[in-house]
Amino acid sequence: PSLYLHRNFCQLFRNAHHSWRFDPDHEVPVDMAVFPAFLFIPISAGGTMVVPPIDFARQGPAQVDSAALIRVINDCKVGSFFAAPILIENLAREALARNLTMPSLKRVIGAGAPIFGPVERMLSAVMALEFPWQARAESIPGTTRGAPIAVVSV
């Protein structure tokens, strides 16, 4: 288990707001994080957090129902998605296999391992189709407990 003190959460929120460019004056962030510690970041920016259809106690990132995630992303018009790279890869593969898109999705953030080029290309084919130049995938190197300290754009 990880111990998060108030000051840790405050700094985490400051870093996330700065690096992920939350700007409630221009758009209200609608985000989905599949790591429970990050569920409150968009709320702290005046946005909306969509809780994913995941049983956090029983499912690991590789066991998550990607089709259910895609439905919720589209139904709630999620703009940012934060997850483990294996879950992101499974999500992109599912969308491509079923010819599904996630047009509202502009930002995908992976933590714990890098998002490699082939996965980024799969994501590009299914996300932010209305404004493709806005779509981006980012990796946070290292553990999710340390995120977001550094971000690598792919």
Coordinates of all heavy atoms in Angstrom, one line a residue, residues 48-108:
T48 N -14.9 16.9 -14.4 CA -15.8 15.7 -14.2 C -14.9 14.5 -14.2 O -14.1 14.3 -15.1 CB -16.9 15.6 -15.2 OG1 -17.7 16.8 -15.2 CG2 -17.8 14.4 -15.0
M49 N -15.1 13.6 -13.3 CA -14.4 12.3 -13.3 C -15.4 11.2 -13.6 O -16.4 11.1 -12.9 CB -13.7 12.0 -11.9 CG -13.2 10.6 -11.8 SD -12.1 10.0 -13.2 CE -10.7 11.0 -13.0
V50 N -15.2 10.5 -14.6 CA -16.0 9.3 -14.9 C -15.4 8.1 -14.3 O -14.2 7.8 -14.6 CB -16.1 9.1 -16.5 CG1 -16.9 7.9 -16.8 CG2 -16.7 10.4 -17.1
V51 N -16.1 7.4 -13.4 CA -15.6 6.2 -12.8 C -15.7 5.1 -13.7 O -16.8 4.8 -14.2 CB -16.3 6.0 -11.4 CG1 -15.8 4.7 -10.8 CG2 -16.2 7.2 -10.5
P52 N -14.6 4.4 -14.0 CA -14.6 3.3 -15.0 C -15.4 2.1 -14.5 O -15.4 1.8 -13.3 CB -13.2 3.0 -15.2 CG -12.5 3.4 -14.0 CD -13.3 4.6 -13.5
P53 N -15.9 1.3 -15.4 CA -16.6 0.0 -15.0 C -15.6 -1.1 -14.6 O -15.4 -2.0 -15.4 CB -17.4 -0.3 -16.2 CG -16.7 0.2 -17.3 CD -16.0 1.5 -16.8
I54 N -14.9 -0.9 -13.5 CA -13.8 -1.8 -13.1 C -14.0 -2.2 -11.7 O -14.3 -1.3 -10.8 CB -12.4 -1.2 -13.3 CG1 -12.2 -0.8 -14.8 CG2 -11.3 -2.0 -12.8 CD1 -10.9 0.0 -15.0
D55 N -13.8 -3.5 -11.4 CA -13.7 -3.9 -10.0 C -12.3 -3.8 -9.5 O -11.5 -4.8 -9.8 CB -14.3 -5.3 -9.9 CG -14.3 -5.8 -8.4 OD1 -13.7 -5.2 -7.6 OD2 -15.0 -6.8 -8.2
F56 N -11.9 -2.7 -8.9 CA -10.5 -2.5 -8.6 C -9.9 -3.6 -7.7 O -8.7 -3.8 -7.7 CB -10.3 -1.1 -8.0 CG -10.5 0.0 -9.0 CD1 -11.6 0.8 -8.9 CD2 -9.6 0.3 -10.0 CE1 -11.8 1.8 -9.8 CE2 -9.8 1.3 -10.9 CZ -10.9 2.1 -10.8
A57 N -10.7 -4.2 -6.9 CA -10.3 -5.2 -5.9 C -10.0 -6.5 -6.6 O -9.2 -7.3 -6.1 CB -11.3 -5.4 -4.8
R58 N -10.6 -6.8 -7.7 CA -10.5 -8.1 -8.4 C -9.9 -8.1 -9.8 O -9.6 -9.2 -10.3 CB -11.9 -8.8 -8.4 CG -12.4 -9.1 -7.0 CD -13.8 -9.8 -7.1 NE -14.2 -10.2 -5.8 CZ -14.8 -9.4 -4.9 NH1 -15.1 -8.2 -5.3 NH2 -15.2 -9.8 -3.7
Q59 N -9.9 -7.0 -10.4 CA -9.4 -6.9 -11.8 C -8.0 -6.2 -11.9 O -7.9 -5.1 -11.4 CB -10.4 -6.2 -12.7 CG -11.6 -7.0 -13.0 CD -12.6 -6.2 -13.8 OE1 -13.1 -5.2 -13.5 NE2 -12.8 -6.7 -15.0
G60 N -7.1 -6.8 -12.6 CA -5.9 -6.1 -12.9 C -6.1 -5.4 -14.3 O -7.1 -5.7 -15.0
P61 N -5.1 -4.6 -14.7 CA -5.3 -3.9 -15.9 C -5.5 -4.8 -17.1 O -6.3 -4.4 -18.1 CB -4.0 -3.1 -16.1 CG -3.4 -3.0 -14.7 CD -3.9 -4.2 -14.0
A62 N -4.9 -5.9 -17.2 CA -5.1 -6.8 -18.3 C -6.4 -7.5 -18.4 O -6.8 -8.0 -19.4 CB -4.0 -7.9 -18.3
Q63 N -7.2 -7.5 -17.3 CA -8.5 -8.2 -17.2 C -9.7 -7.3 -17.4 O -10.8 -7.8 -17.4 CB -8.6 -8.9 -15.9 CG -7.8 -10.1 -15.7 CD -6.4 -9.7 -15.2 OE1 -6.3 -8.9 -14.4 NE2 -5.4 -10.4 -15.7
V64 N -9.4 -6.0 -17.6 CA -10.5 -5.1 -17.7 C -11.3 -5.3 -19.1 O -10.6 -5.6 -20.1 CB -10.0 -3.6 -17.6 CG1 -11.0 -2.6 -18.0 CG2 -9.4 -3.4 -16.2
D65 N -12.6 -5.1 -19.0 CA -13.4 -5.3 -20.2 C -13.3 -4.0 -21.1 O -13.9 -3.0 -20.8 CB -14.9 -5.5 -19.8 CG -15.8 -5.7 -21.0 OD1 -15.4 -5.5 -22.1 OD2 -17.0 -5.9 -20.7
S66 N -12.5 -4.1 -22.1 CA -12.2 -3.0 -23.0 C -13.4 -2.5 -23.7 O -13.6 -1.2 -23.9 CB -11.1 -3.3 -24.0 OG -9.9 -3.6 -23.4
A67 N -14.3 -3.4 -24.1 CA -15.5 -2.9 -24.8 C -16.4 -2.1 -23.9 O -17.0 -1.1 -24.3 CB -16.3 -4.2 -25.3
A68 N -16.5 -2.5 -22.6 CA -17.2 -1.7 -21.6 C -16.6 -0.3 -21.4 O -17.3 0.7 -21.3 CB -17.3 -2.4 -20.3
L69 N -15.3 -0.2 -21.4 CA -14.6 1.1 -21.3 C -14.9 2.0 -22.5 O -15.2 3.1 -22.3 CB -13.1 0.9 -21.1 CG -12.6 0.5 -19.8 CD1 -11.1 0.3 -19.8 CD2 -12.9 1.5 -18.7
I70 N -14.9 1.4 -23.7 CA -15.1 2.2 -24.9 C -16.5 2.7 -24.8 O -16.8 3.9 -25.2 CB -14.9 1.3 -26.1 CG1 -13.4 1.0 -26.3 CG2 -15.4 2.0 -27.4 CD1 -13.1 -0.1 -27.3
R71 N -17.5 1.9 -24.4 CA -18.9 2.4 -24.3 C -19.0 3.6 -23.4 O -19.6 4.6 -23.7 CB -19.8 1.3 -23.9 CG -20.2 0.3 -25.0 CD -21.4 -0.6 -24.6 NE -21.1 -1.4 -23.4 CZ -20.4 -2.5 -23.4 NH1 -20.0 -3.0 -24.5 NH2 -20.2 -3.2 -22.2
V72 N -18.4 3.5 -22.2 CA -18.4 4.5 -21.2 C -17.7 5.8 -21.7 O -18.2 6.9 -21.5 CB -17.9 4.1 -19.8 CG1 -17.8 5.2 -18.8 CG2 -18.8 3.0 -19.3
I73 N -16.5 5.6 -22.3 CA -15.8 6.7 -22.9 C -16.7 7.5 -23.8 O -16.7 8.7 -23.8 CB -14.5 6.3 -23.5 CG1 -13.5 5.9 -22.4 CG2 -13.9 7.3 -24.4 CD1 -12.2 5.1 -22.9
N74 N -17.3 6.8 -24.7 CA -18.2 7.4 -25.7 C -19.5 8.0 -25.1 O -19.9 9.1 -25.5 CB -18.5 6.5 -26.9 CG -17.3 6.2 -27.7 OD1 -16.4 7.1 -27.8 ND2 -17.3 5.1 -28.4
D75 N -20.1 7.3 -24.2 CA -21.4 7.8 -23.6 C -21.1 9.1 -22.8 O -22.0 10.0 -22.8 CB -22.0 6.7 -22.7 CG -22.6 5.5 -23.5 OD1 -22.7 5.6 -24.7 OD2 -22.9 4.5 -22.8
C76 N -20.0 9.1 -22.1 CA -19.7 10.3 -21.2 C -18.8 11.3 -21.9 O -18.5 12.3 -21.2 CB -19.1 9.8 -19.9 SG -20.2 8.7 -19.0
K77 N -18.4 11.1 -23.1 CA -17.6 12.0 -23.9 C -16.3 12.3 -23.1 O -15.9 13.5 -22.9 CB -18.3 13.3 -24.2 CG -19.5 13.0 -25.2 CD -20.2 14.3 -25.5 CE -21.3 14.1 -26.5 NZ -22.0 12.9 -26.7
V78 N -15.6 11.3 -22.7 CA -14.3 11.4 -21.9 C -13.3 12.0 -22.9 O -13.1 11.6 -24.0 CB -13.9 10.0 -21.4 CG1 -12.5 10.1 -20.9 CG2 -14.9 9.5 -20.4
G79 N -12.6 13.0 -22.3 CA -11.5 13.7 -23.1 C -10.1 13.2 -22.8 O -9.2 13.2 -23.6
S80 N -9.9 12.8 -21.5 CA -8.6 12.3 -21.1 C -8.8 10.9 -20.4 O -9.7 10.7 -19.7 CB -8.0 13.2 -20.1 OG -7.7 14.4 -20.7
F81 N -7.8 10.0 -20.6 CA -7.9 8.7 -20.1 C -6.5 8.3 -19.5 O -5.5 8.5 -20.2 CB -8.2 7.7 -21.3 CG -8.4 6.3 -20.9 CD1 -9.4 5.8 -20.1 CD2 -7.4 5.4 -21.3 CE1 -9.5 4.5 -19.8 CE2 -7.5 4.0 -21.0 CZ -8.6 3.6 -20.2
F82 N -6.5 7.9 -18.3 CA -5.3 7.6 -17.6 C -5.3 6.1 -17.2 O -6.2 5.7 -16.5 CB -5.2 8.5 -16.3 CG -3.9 8.2 -15.5 CD1 -2.8 9.0 -15.7 CD2 -3.9 7.3 -14.5 CE1 -1.6 8.8 -14.9 CE2 -2.8 7.1 -13.7 CZ -1.6 7.8 -14.0
A83 N -4.3 5.3 -17.6 CA -4.3 3.9 -17.3 C -2.9 3.3 -17.5 O -2.0 3.9 -18.0 CB -5.3 3.2 -18.3
A84 N -2.9 2.0 -17.2 CA -1.6 1.3 -17.4 C -1.5 1.0 -18.9 O -2.5 0.8 -19.6 CB -1.7 -0.1 -16.6
P85 N -0.3 1.0 -19.4 CA -0.1 0.7 -20.9 C -0.8 -0.5 -21.4 O -1.3 -0.5 -22.5 CB 1.4 0.7 -21.0 CG 1.9 1.7 -19.9 CD 1.0 1.3 -18.8
I86 N -0.8 -1.6 -20.6 CA -1.4 -2.9 -21.1 C -2.9 -2.6 -21.3 O -3.5 -3.1 -22.3 CB -1.1 -4.1 -20.2 CG1 -1.7 -5.4 -20.9 CG2 -1.7 -3.9 -18.8 CD1 -1.0 -5.8 -22.1
L87 N -3.5 -1.9 -20.4 CA -5.0 -1.6 -20.6 C -5.2 -0.7 -21.8 O -6.1 -0.9 -22.6 CB -5.5 -0.9 -19.3 CG -7.0 -0.9 -19.2 CD1 -7.4 -0.9 -17.7 CD2 -7.6 0.3 -19.9
I88 N -4.3 0.3 -22.0 CA -4.4 1.2 -23.1 C -4.2 0.4 -24.4 O -5.0 0.6 -25.4 CB -3.3 2.3 -23.0 CG1 -3.7 3.2 -21.9 CG2 -3.2 3.1 -24.3 CD1 -2.6 4.2 -21.5
E89 N -3.3 -0.5 -24.5 CA -3.1 -1.4 -25.7 C -4.3 -2.2 -25.9 O -4.8 -2.3 -27.1 CB -1.9 -2.3 -25.5 CG -1.6 -3.1 -26.7 CD -0.3 -3.9 -26.6 OE1 0.5 -3.7 -25.6 OE2 -0.1 -4.9 -27.4
N90 N -4.9 -2.9 -24.9 CA -6.1 -3.7 -25.1 C -7.3 -2.8 -25.6 O -8.0 -3.3 -26.4 CB -6.4 -4.4 -23.8 CG -5.4 -5.5 -23.4 OD1 -4.6 -5.9 -24.3 ND2 -5.5 -5.9 -22.2
L91 N -7.4 -1.6 -25.0 CA -8.4 -0.7 -25.4 C -8.3 -0.4 -26.9 O -9.3 -0.5 -27.7 CB -8.4 0.5 -24.6 CG -9.5 1.6 -24.8 CD1 -10.7 1.2 -24.0 CD2 -9.0 2.9 -24.4
A92 N -7.1 0.0 -27.4 CA -6.9 0.3 -28.8 C -7.2 -0.9 -29.7 O -7.8 -0.8 -30.7 CB -5.5 0.8 -29.0
R93 N -6.7 -2.1 -29.3 CA -6.9 -3.3 -30.1 C -8.4 -3.6 -30.2 O -8.9 -4.0 -31.3 CB -6.2 -4.5 -29.5 CG -4.7 -4.5 -29.7 CD -4.1 -5.8 -29.2 NE -2.6 -5.6 -29.1 CZ -1.8 -5.7 -30.1 NH1 -2.3 -5.8 -31.3 NH2 -0.5 -5.5 -30.0
E94 N -9.1 -3.5 -29.1 CA -10.6 -3.8 -29.1 C -11.3 -2.8 -30.0 O -12.1 -3.2 -30.8 CB -11.1 -3.6 -27.7 CG -12.6 -3.8 -27.6 CD -13.0 -5.3 -27.6 OE1 -12.2 -6.2 -27.4 OE2 -14.2 -5.6 -27.8
A95 N -10.9 -1.5 -30.0 CA -11.6 -0.5 -30.8 C -11.3 -0.8 -32.3 O -12.2 -0.8 -33.1 CB -11.1 0.9 -30.5
L96 N -10.1 -1.1 -32.6 CA -9.7 -1.4 -34.0 C -10.4 -2.7 -34.5 O -11.0 -2.8 -35.6 CB -8.2 -1.5 -34.2 CG -7.5 -0.2 -34.2 CD1 -6.0 -0.5 -34.2 CD2 -7.9 0.6 -35.4
A97 N -10.4 -3.7 -33.7 CA -11.0 -5.0 -34.0 C -12.5 -4.9 -34.3 O -13.1 -5.6 -35.1 CB -10.8 -6.1 -32.9
R98 N -13.2 -4.0 -33.5 CA -14.6 -3.9 -33.7 C -15.0 -2.6 -34.5 O -16.2 -2.3 -34.6 CB -15.3 -3.8 -32.3 CG -15.2 -5.1 -31.5 CD -15.9 -4.9 -30.2 NE -15.8 -6.1 -29.4 CZ -16.8 -6.7 -28.8 NH1 -18.0 -6.2 -28.9 NH2 -16.6 -7.8 -28.1
N99 N -14.0 -2.0 -35.1 CA -14.2 -0.8 -35.9 C -15.0 0.3 -35.1 O -15.9 0.9 -35.6 CB -15.0 -1.2 -37.2 CG -14.8 -0.1 -38.3 OD1 -13.8 0.6 -38.3 ND2 -15.7 0.0 -39.2
L100 N -14.5 0.5 -33.9 CA -15.1 1.5 -33.0 C -14.1 2.7 -32.9 O -12.9 2.5 -33.1 CB -15.3 0.9 -31.6 CG -16.2 -0.3 -31.5 CD1 -16.2 -0.9 -30.1 CD2 -17.6 0.1 -31.9
T101 N -14.7 3.8 -32.6 CA -13.9 5.0 -32.4 C -14.2 5.7 -31.1 O -15.3 5.4 -30.5 CB -14.1 6.1 -33.5 OG1 -15.5 6.5 -33.5 CG2 -13.7 5.5 -34.9
M102 N -13.4 6.5 -30.6 CA -13.6 7.3 -29.4 C -13.3 8.8 -29.7 O -12.3 9.3 -29.4 CB -12.7 6.8 -28.3 CG -13.0 5.4 -27.9 SD -11.7 4.6 -26.8 CE -10.5 4.2 -28.0
P103 N -14.2 9.4 -30.4 CA -14.0 10.7 -31.0 C -13.7 11.8 -30.0 O -13.1 12.8 -30.3 CB -15.2 11.0 -31.8 CG -16.3 10.1 -31.4 CD -15.6 8.9 -30.8
S104 N -14.2 11.7 -28.8 CA -14.0 12.7 -27.7 C -12.7 12.6 -27.1 O -12.2 13.6 -26.5 CB -15.1 12.6 -26.7 OG -15.0 11.4 -26.0
L105 N -12.0 11.5 -27.2 CA -10.8 11.2 -26.5 C -9.6 12.0 -27.1 O -9.2 11.7 -28.3 CB -10.5 9.7 -26.5 CG -9.5 9.2 -25.5 CD1 -9.9 9.5 -24.1 CD2 -9.4 7.7 -25.6
K106 N -9.0 12.9 -26.4 CA -8.0 13.8 -26.9 C -6.6 13.4 -26.3 O -5.6 13.6 -26.9 CB -8.2 15.2 -26.6 CG -9.4 15.8 -27.3 CD -9.6 17.2 -26.9 CE -10.9 17.8 -27.4 NZ -11.1 19.1 -26.8
R107 N -6.6 12.9 -25.1 CA -5.4 12.6 -24.3 C -5.5 11.3 -23.7 O -6.4 11.0 -23.0 CB -5.2 13.7 -23.3 CG -3.9 13.6 -22.5 CD -3.9 14.6 -21.3 NE -4.0 15.9 -21.8 CZ -5.0 16.8 -21.4 NH1 -5.9 16.4 -20.6 NH2 -5.0 18.0 -21.9
V108 N -4.4 10.5 -23.9 CA -4.3 9.2 -23.2 C -2.9 9.2 -22.5 O -1.9 9.5 -23.1 CB -4.3 8.0 -24.2 CG1 -4.0 6.7 -23.5 CG2 -5.7 7.9 -24.9

